[in-house]
Amino acid sequence: MRIPDKVVASVFEPLWDRYEGSLRLKTLTKLNDSQWQSPAAYAEHQNELLRRVITHAVATCPFYQERFTAAGIDPAKVSSIADLAGLPLLTKADVRENQSRLISSRYEKSQLVLAKTGGSTGISLEIFCDRQGVEMRQAAALRADEWSGWRLGQPMAAIWGNPPVPRTFRNRMRKLLKDRIIYLDTMRIDSAAIDNFLGEWEATRPGLLYGHAHSIFILCEALRDRGLTLNPTGIVATSMMLIESERRVIEEVCGIKVTNRYGCEEVSLISCECEEHRGMHLNADHNIIEFLRDDGTPCAPGEDGRIVVTELINFGMPMIRYEVGDRGVPSDRTCACGRGMPLMEHVTGRVADFLVATDGARVAGISIIENTLTKLPGIVQMQAVQEEPRLVKVNVVRGDSYGADTEQGLRQSMKGFLGQDVEIQIEQVSQIPQESSGKYRFTICRLKDQATK
Ligand SMILES: [Zn+2]
C-alpha cells in the first residue's frame, strides 16, 4: 500500500527529525520565510554571521590564527566580506595540507561529519562539518528542491552513481517511511536498466527527477528515442554544467522546466534557479559568494570570475574564502519572483562524457571519478580518456600516499566499470589543467558517435 505523500510530509518527516534531534525542517521553515527579505536585510544577516564565524575560526583554528595575523586583519574590526580582501584565498592545497589545523578545537574530529569529495575540479579532499551545519545544508537543499515544483513528501527518482542499499533496520525504516527514492545507477545505463527504472517509476510515481545534469539528459534522450515521456513535478539538475541543448531534450521529454542547481560538497548549496528560471539565486542564507578577477578584485555584474565561498554555518571546519575552482558571472538583476537573494547568471564548471563498457552499457564519467578518486588513497586529481573501445588512458596527479596498491585498485576499478579486457594506461601528470573556457573535463570519450553523448 502506498503511504499518501501528505502523510509522509506532515507526519513521518517531522517525526524523523524529532527522533534524530535534527534542525532540518525547522531550518527549512526559517529559510522559506527569510527568502522574501530584502537584499539589504540579507546583507546585514550575512555580515552578522560572518563576524561570528571568523571570530570563532580565529579563536579556535590555528590555521586561521596564523592567516589573519599574517594578513594583519583583526577579526573584531571586520564588518563585511570587503574587509577580508587582504586575506589569501583558501585553496584546495591549503585544505589538504592543513586539515587538522583547520578543524576547530571546540570539536572532536569524531563529532564531525566527513564528506570525501571529488570537488568541482576533480581534486580529492576531505571536508568535515559539524552536525548542525549538515542539517542546515540539508534544509537549504530541500528549499531548492521545492523551487523545482517538487513538494516535501513526494517520492524522488535519482539518476546517480552507486545507489545506497539500506542495510540497517534504521535505514530500512527510513526508506519505507520517508525517503522513497528510486535510482537509475549511472555506473551502468543500458536498456535493461532503463526498463527496470521505468517499472519502478510507474509503481512509485516520483515527484522529483534529480541527478547529474548530463545523466538526466542521457536518460531523457533514450526515452525520446523510444517515444516515451516522464511526468515529474520537478527536475533538479546538479553537479555538472547544464548544457542548453541537453536542457531542451530533458524539457521536451518531461514537459516541465529543468531547475539548474550549483553546489559542491565542500560548502553548502551555492545557487539554484527559482521557478522563473532566469539566473540562479545565491544561497545567501548560508554563504557569502564572491566573484573575483584574476588580480583578486571583485568582478562587476556580468563579468566572469573565480567563485570564492565563505560558508557561514560550518563551525567544525570553517571554510573562509574557499576557492571552489569554478568560474561564474554575478548579476545585479532583480528576479521577478521577489526573493531577496542576489542572482548569478551562469556557471562554468565540470563536464564529463559517458564512457562505453565493452558490452555496450554507458557509464557516467562523473560517477567513475567519484568511485575512484574519493575511494583510493593518494590520488590528488584525475582524468580518464577513452581513446578506443578497449583503451582508456588515466591521467593521475599523485599525492604522498599513492602506491602500488592505489595503482592496482585504480586498474581493477576501471576494468570493473568498463570490462575486464579494457587496457588501462595510467600516466603520471603534474596537473590537469582547466580548459580555456574554464571547464574541467573529468572524462573524455573519443569514440566516434559517442563523444557528444
Ligand atoms: Zn527568482
Side-chain angles (χ1 to χ4, degrees):
M1 189 194 73
R2 182 190 162 101
I3 304 168
D5 297 349
K6 281 192 175 146
V7 174
V8 175
S10 60
V11 180
F12 294 132
E13 290 281 2
L15 271 179
W16 195 267
D17 268 20
R18 197 183 302 174
Y19 167 66
E20 299 237 297
S22 172
L23 292 172
R24 184 186 59 127
L25 293 181
K26 276 187 197 140
T27 308
L28 176 62
T29 305
K30 277 191 203 159
L31 293 178
N32 279 333
D33 286 342
S34 67
Q35 63 187 342
W36 304 111
Q37 66 187 333
S38 68
Y42 255 116
E44 198 175 313
H45 166 78
Q46 286 181 314
N47 290 340
E48 192 184 312
L49 291 180
L50 175 69
R51 287 190 289 270
R52 195 187 305 167
V53 82
I54 63 169
T55 305
H56 168 84
V58 171
T60 69
C61 309
F63 178 85
Y64 288 115
Q65 272 160 17
E66 281 170 27
R67 272 253 156 128
F68 275 70
T69 306
I73 299 171
D74 177 357
K77 293 191 178 143
V78 170
S79 58
S80 75
I81 196 78
D83 297 326
L84 296 184
L87 186 75
L89 301 183
L90 179 66
T91 65
K92 288 173 205 292
D94 289 333
V95 174
R96 192 173 315 103
E97 287 156 20
N98 297 281
Q99 187 189 81
S100 61
R101 300 169 68 249
L102 278 160
I103 292 177
S104 163
S105 59
R106 297 258 167 87
Y107 294 84
E108 293 294 329
K109 203 163 160 185
S110 58
Q111 292 174 285
L112 302 174
V113 180
L114 167 67
K116 268 192 168 186
T117 162
S120 51
T121 55
I123 294 181
S124 74
L125 283 181
E126 285 188 349
I127 305 282
F128 292 83
C129 184
D130 64 81
R131 217 181 115 200
Q132 287 201 349
V134 170
E135 292 159 5
M136 292 170 83
R137 287 176 174 188
Q138 290 167 345
L142 278 180
R143 175 174 67 178
D145 287 343
E146 290 205 314
W147 290 354
S148 75
W150 170 83
R151 288 293 167 263
L152 185 69
Q154 284 185 303
M156 298 182 175
I159 319 299
W160 211 254
N162 275 3
V165 179
R167 297 190 195 281
T168 61
F169 176 72
R170 176 179 169 279
N171 283 345
R172 278 199 291 271
M173 287 306 287
R174 181 179 173 142
K175 182 170 164 60
L176 178 72
L177 296 179
K178 73 176 211 67
D179 290 350
R180 297 175 303 167
I181 304 182
I182 63 165
Y183 288 94
L184 177 63
D185 186 352
T186 49
M187 290 305 287
R188 189 173 177 82
I189 297 186
D190 57 14
S191 339
I194 291 177
D195 287 343
N196 183 51
F197 176 77
L198 291 175
E200 290 192 344
W201 184 285
E202 270 313 299
T204 316
R205 280 170 284 136
L208 186 68
L209 178 61
Y210 174 92
H212 305 131
H214 188 58
S215 302
I216 299 179
F217 160 73
I218 292 287
L219 167 68
C220 287
E221 190 192 38
L223 296 180
R224 186 187 63 178
D225 293 348
R226 294 186 189 193
L228 297 175
T229 56
L230 285 180
N231 54 351
T233 55
I235 306 168
V236 171
T238 183
S239 298
M240 301 177 80
M241 283 182 69
L242 176 63
I243 314 287
E244 214 34 57
S245 58
E246 299 187 351
R247 177 178 204 141
R248 283 196 294 275
V249 171
I250 301 170
E251 293 181 348
E252 183 190 320
V253 168
C254 297
I256 56 169
K257 295 268 195 187
V258 178
T259 295
N260 191 18
R261 184 155 117 186
Y262 168 58
C264 64
E265 297 256 7
E266 298 94 298
V267 293
S268 317
L269 175 76
I270 296 172
S271 61
C272 185
E273 286 181 357
C274 69
E275 53 283 353
E276 295 291 326
H277 304 281
R278 290 197 60 219
M280 293 189 275
H281 285 284
L282 301 179
N283 178 17
D285 293 270
H286 294 164
N287 286 321
I288 295 177
I289 296 138
E290 298 174 86
F291 298 84
L292 300 181
R293 297 178 182 137
D294 289 340
D295 69 0
T297 56
C299 293
E303 185 184 349
D304 172 78
R306 295 142 82 185
I307 297 176
V308 172
V309 176
T310 297
E311 193 180 18
L312 304 170
I313 55 166
N314 181 2
F315 289 83
M317 181 171 173
M319 301 290 280
I320 298 173
R321 301 199 90 206
Y322 173 64
E323 182 168 20
V324 178
D326 298 323
R327 299 184 69 86
V329 176
S331 172
D332 59 356
R333 289 189 296 114
T334 49
C335 186
C337 72
R339 291 183 179 88
M341 325 121 108
L343 290 171
M344 66 181 284
E345 301 288 359
H346 176 76
V347 60
T348 307
R350 52 189 184 176
V351 289
D353 295 341
F354 270 63
L355 304 188
V356 184
T358 48
D359 64 0
R362 296 162 91 188
V363 187
I366 204 155
S367 302
I368 291 176
I369 300 294
E370 283 166 357
N371 278 287
T372 45
L373 185 71
T374 59
K375 303 213 164 127
L376 298 167
I379 302 178
V380 173
Q381 193 178 14
M382 65 179 272
Q383 178 187 54
V385 185
Q386 188 164 27
E387 301 281 357
E388 294 170 23
R390 285 180 166 70
L391 173 62
V392 174
K393 285 188 182 158
V394 186
N395 298 317
V396 173
V397 180
R398 296 180 185 187
D400 292 341
S401 47
Y402 190 95
D405 286 357
T406 313
E407 190 142 328
Q408 197 190 355
L410 183 55
R411 223 175 274 283
Q412 269 173 0
S413 301
M414 296 297 290
K415 282 175 180 275
F417 305 149
L418 298 170
Q420 289 305 323
D421 52 346
V422 173
E423 185 190 345
I424 309 294
Q425 289 180 357
I426 298 174
E427 291 185 20
Q428 185 184 350
V429 294
S430 59
Q431 60 163 334
I432 294 163
Q434 210 166 3
E435 299 197 335
S436 56
S437 61
K439 286 178 192 164
Y440 279 97
R441 202 166 274 282
F442 281 18
T443 51
I444 297 170
C445 180
R446 297 204 202 278
L447 309 188
K448 250 190 170 169
D449 304 327
Q450 296 290 343
T452 57
K453 294 188 174 176

